Amino acid sequence: MSYLKDIIWTAVPALILWGILSYSIHKDRSRYRNCSLFMITVLFTLPVIVHLAGPYSRPVRVFLLFLILLGILLVPVFLIANGVVMLRREGHSFKNLLSLFLGIVVELGEISSLLFAIGLLRIYDGRPDSIFSSGRLPLILLLISLSVVYFSMSFLSFACYSLFLEIIPRKRDFDYVIIHGSGLIGGDKISKLLSDRLDKAIEVYHKDPTPPILIPSGGKGSDEAISEGEAMAEYLIEHGIPEDHVIAECTSKTTRENLINSKKIIDERPGEHYTALVTSNYHVFRALRYCRSIGFTCTGIGAHVAGYYWPSALIREYAAIHSKGKQLILLLAPWIVFIVIPMVWLIL
């Protein structure tokens, strides 16, 4: 009876949260609240898993705790290693330093947490070191630690939801599929990143019961011989897509313009307008947010990218979403109110 009671007490909140999350995703997959909802729902689901284990709940609890701690310790190592790989394979640009930089920041946060814990233990034992004899240093370490934890959890929520978007079931009967450009190599050649997007669109086309119109979207850069839209259209036709099922959009310069200009093409055509957009998997969430901002209903479909490229790309997406406006305020306000102000007040 106690076993069933424990399951009910933990399962009910988890089921309610899964219901709220499902409804929120159904209403709009691009809402940022879904990131936080997803993380909270997963955290409330873990106790259910533990209690379902019954007599084995204790070892399951220990195992889950071990996995969490191991993950915390390995994350900065993974990010730093990924940063080194990015520098070797993609070149020494700022964007390729992002995962390395984030790994170092997280590592500093973990070191600060460890030093703070050591200081507390030594003070508790009545043996404070000289560096901990002042009350300020432990508080400074705690400020650093809490700040890193806060931003790490925010990014982790975003990353997990971005992955979750890829496995959410979706309809397949599209009328139009927009394919986002990503620049050409040498001014006229399709890059690996772009060919992955095009191949995904071709896969969607062949799986669709009523093959859709494909809209490759991208303008001509100053260093490009032809527009991305034209190059992408040629690729699609060369790979078996009928010419009358391809409409190139060749004037856009940004993701937002990709969608605005493609929407104009779709709106001018008769019939149903059930639309999908195909872009790299790390970029789907932000693209859907642009769709919402222009009143364009789309289903996002992510194309595969190289595993080593994904962390840095996702960091760029996170930074882009929080770079201005409402989202920046929503990110910084809780940090300032609940962490910075109380800790600075204690330090001073």
Side-chain angles (χ1 to χ4, degrees):
M1 192 65 176
S2 176
Y3 171 70
L4 184 59
K5 184 178 179 181
D6 288 340
I7 292 177
I8 291 174
W9 275 101
T10 54
V12 169
L15 288 173
I16 291 173
L17 284 169
W18 277 110
I20 294 172
L21 176 64
S22 299
Y23 177 76
S24 182
I25 290 173
H26 173 71
K27 292 292 289 184
D28 191 344
R29 298 185 181 196
S30 68
R31 287 288 184 181
Y32 194 83
R33 63 172 179 246
N34 295 341
C35 300
S36 300
L37 268 174
F38 178 73
M39 181 60 68
I40 293 169
T41 302
V42 169
L43 291 176
F44 270 80
T45 303
L46 292 179
V48 181
I49 296 172
V50 170
H51 283 100
L52 283 173
Y56 304 101
S57 60
R58 183 179 177 83
V60 169
R61 185 185 296 112
V62 171
F63 178 69
L64 287 175
L65 182 60
F66 170 77
L67 285 181
I68 293 171
L69 292 175
L70 182 64
I72 291 172
L73 293 174
L74 291 182
V75 162
V77 177
F78 167 76
L79 288 171
I80 292 171
N82 177 255
V84 173
V85 172
M86 281 292 293
L87 291 175
R88 288 177 176 174
R89 296 190 181 185
E90 300 292 331
H92 293 69
S93 65
F94 174 74
K95 67 179 184 179
N96 296 332
L97 287 169
L98 290 175
S99 59
L100 177 63
F101 174 73
L102 182 60
I104 293 172
V105 170
V106 174
E107 186 65 42
L108 288 174
E110 292 186 2
I111 291 172
S112 297
S113 301
L114 179 62
L115 290 175
F116 176 74
I118 291 173
L120 283 183
L121 288 173
R122 296 188 70 82
I123 291 172
Y124 179 78
D125 290 340
R127 298 181 291 108
D129 293 327
S130 58
I131 61 171
F132 289 105
S133 58
S134 167
R136 290 184 177 179
L137 181 58
L139 292 174
I140 293 172
L141 292 173
L142 182 59
L143 172 60
I144 296 172
S145 175
L146 291 176
S147 297
V148 171
V149 168
Y150 173 78
F151 287 107
S152 295
M153 289 301 295
S154 173
F155 176 73
L156 182 62
S157 299
F158 171 77
C160 289
Y161 182 67
S162 296
L163 285 173
F164 187 62
L165 274 178
E166 293 300 301
I167 62 174
I168 298 175
R170 58 176 179 265
K171 296 179 181 179
R172 290 185 174 180
D173 192 4
F174 301 109
D175 302 299
Y176 297 90
V177 175
I178 300 168
I179 311 153
H180 291 274
S182 66
L184 302 174
I185 298 175
D188 60 355
K189 295 180 181 178
I190 299 293
S191 67
K192 179 65 170 64
L193 188 71
L194 188 50
S195 68
D196 285 338
R197 296 181 182 183
L198 290 163
D199 291 341
K200 186 66 176 181
I202 293 170
E203 177 188 326
V204 172
Y205 179 89
H206 287 304
K207 288 183 177 180
D208 199 307
T210 55
I213 299 295
L214 303 186
I215 304 178
S217 179
K220 180 177 177 294
S222 58
D223 59 343
E224 294 174 338
I226 61 174
S227 70
E228 295 171 26
E230 291 176 278
M232 295 159 70
E234 290 177 6
Y235 182 97
L236 292 169
I237 294 168
E238 288 172 2
H239 286 75
I241 304 299
E243 191 170 349
D244 62 342
H245 275 219
V246 178
I247 301 176
E249 185 286 301
C250 304
T251 60
S252 57
K253 303 295 183 183
T254 64
T255 299
R256 187 181 179 87
E257 290 182 5
N258 285 156
L259 294 165
I260 292 173
N261 296 343
S262 298
K263 184 178 185 296
K264 288 179 181 177
I265 292 174
I266 294 169
D267 287 344
E268 290 172 356
R269 296 175 63 85
E272 298 294 325
H273 293 164
Y274 185 50
T275 305
L277 64 86
V278 173
T279 186
S280 300
N281 52 25
Y282 62 82
H283 190 236
V284 169
F285 183 60
R286 184 153 64 103
L288 289 176
R289 289 176 64 81
Y290 284 133
C291 286
R292 178 164 56 85
S293 70
I294 64 172
F296 189 20
T297 302
C298 277
T299 295
I301 300 176
H304 169 77
V305 295
Y308 75 88
Y309 190 86
W310 190 80
S312 290
L314 203 63
I315 294 169
R316 294 201 305 273
E317 293 296 302
Y318 178 81
I321 287 174
H322 293 89
S323 62
K324 54 186 177 182
K326 174 184 175 182
Q327 218 54 60
L328 179 62
I329 295 172
L330 289 175
L331 175 67
L332 294 181
W335 173 61
I336 293 172
V337 172
F338 297 108
I339 295 177
V340 175
I341 293 178
M343 293 307 302
V344 170
W345 182 76
L346 288 172
I347 290 170
L348 298 178

